[in-house]
Amino acid sequence: DVPSPSAEIDLLVLNEALTRMADMDPRLGAIFELRFLVGLSVAQVAEIVEVSPRTVELDTQFIRAWLQKEMNS
């Protein structure tokens, strides 16, 4: 099956967006890496980054929205 155009991801654009995000806010970069690349739980990330689990949840929501905006621009 050929993926639909909406399902395709430009990895170069994604990498550039992640780099900009991490430069903008290193904590967001760390949370992205720990949650999405390493696969840690919210509680584990909160302990490592030394923030509350709620902050990790809110930052995760922000990261998803920000990346979606960046990938669609």
Side-chain angles (χ1 to χ4, degrees):
D1 290 330
V2 176
S4 68
S6 62
E8 293 178 18
I9 296 176
D10 185 331
L11 293 180
L12 182 58
V13 173
L14 177 60
N15 184 57
E16 290 170 355
L18 291 171
T19 299
R20 282 193 307 277
M21 182 184 65
D23 288 346
M24 178 181 68
D25 188 334
R27 184 181 80 203
L28 292 177
I31 289 173
F32 175 84
E33 289 179 6
L34 294 169
R35 287 284 291 142
F36 298 105
L37 301 180
V38 179
L40 297 181
S41 70
V42 168
Q44 291 169 318
V45 173
E47 186 174 331
I48 291 167
V49 181
E50 298 180 342
V51 296
S52 72
R54 183 67 180 145
T55 297
V56 173
E57 291 170 351
L58 292 172
D59 283 355
T60 299
Q61 289 176 5
F62 174 83
I63 290 165
R64 286 185 174 135
W66 192 86
L67 285 174
Q68 184 174 26
K69 178 181 117 0
E70 289 296 306
M71 297 297 293
N72 291 325
S73 4

